Amino acid sequence: ADADGGGEWGCSDAGVCGPRTIGSGADMDSMAACSSVSGDVLVYPFSTDIGDTEGMGCLTEVSGDLNFSDIDTLTNLDGLSALTTIGGDLVIWGNDTLADISGLSSLTTVNGDVEIEGNDVLCQSEVDAFIAGLTVSGSISTEDNGDC
């Protein structure tokens, strides 16, 4: 299934959702109903069955924070390809297997802080290139990512 309309769900039925805490693959899949989130999206630290962000394929805006921290089963953020705006902070911290953030390529605006730190296999050069394409209103912190 995919959220671009070619799979089991399409984005035409997606709407505004309230704040979300995602602690499982099923919670992630439920995000397919959301084109925007009014509030924060927290992908719960130490969740063990979140392997992808495919359920977020319709998400274009988060009015609060978007936080991916300590999700050691997540290798990429490909499901976030429609996301353009974050109203709060973007936090991508301590994800031991996250190697690719190119799924965030449509993101242009973060109205808070950006913290991309401690992602052991995420190349710092990829982080730097990503940050260069953003308009960030707050502070930017990108330390202790991979040396590739």
Side-chain angles (χ1 to χ4, degrees):
D2 60 39
D4 66 5
E8 293 177 21
W9 63 75
C11 293
S12 61
D13 293 329
V16 178
C17 296
R20 293 290 178 113
T21 298
I22 298 169
S24 68
D27 291 343
M28 182 65 73
D29 290 345
S30 75
M31 289 292 297
C34 305
S35 61
S36 66
V37 172
S38 180
D40 298 337
V41 176
L42 169 64
V43 183
Y44 198 76
F46 308 111
S47 299
T48 58
D49 72 339
I50 297 176
D52 63 59
T53 55
E54 187 175 309
M56 293 183 162
C58 294
L59 190 63
T60 61
E61 180 178 3
V62 175
S63 70
D65 298 344
L66 178 60
N67 187 323
F68 288 90
S69 295
D70 286 319
I71 312 299
D72 294 338
T73 53
L74 192 60
T75 60
N76 66 63
L77 300 178
D78 290 353
L80 290 163
S81 60
L83 184 66
T84 60
T85 305
I86 297 173
D89 298 340
L90 172 62
V91 178
I92 302 172
W93 182 86
N95 301 289
D96 291 343
T97 61
L98 183 65
D100 182 7
I101 59 172
S102 64
L104 289 170
S105 62
S106 295
L107 184 63
T108 57
T109 305
V110 177
N111 289 321
D113 299 336
V114 172
E115 179 182 333
I116 304 176
E117 296 184 345
N119 302 288
D120 295 339
V121 297
L122 179 61
C123 297
Q124 185 64 45
S125 59
E126 183 177 348
V127 173
D128 294 343
F130 168 68
I131 295 293
L134 287 180
T135 299
V136 179
S137 297
S139 64
I140 297 171
S141 179
T142 62
E143 300 174 349
D144 299 324
N145 296 301
D147 288 330
C148 33

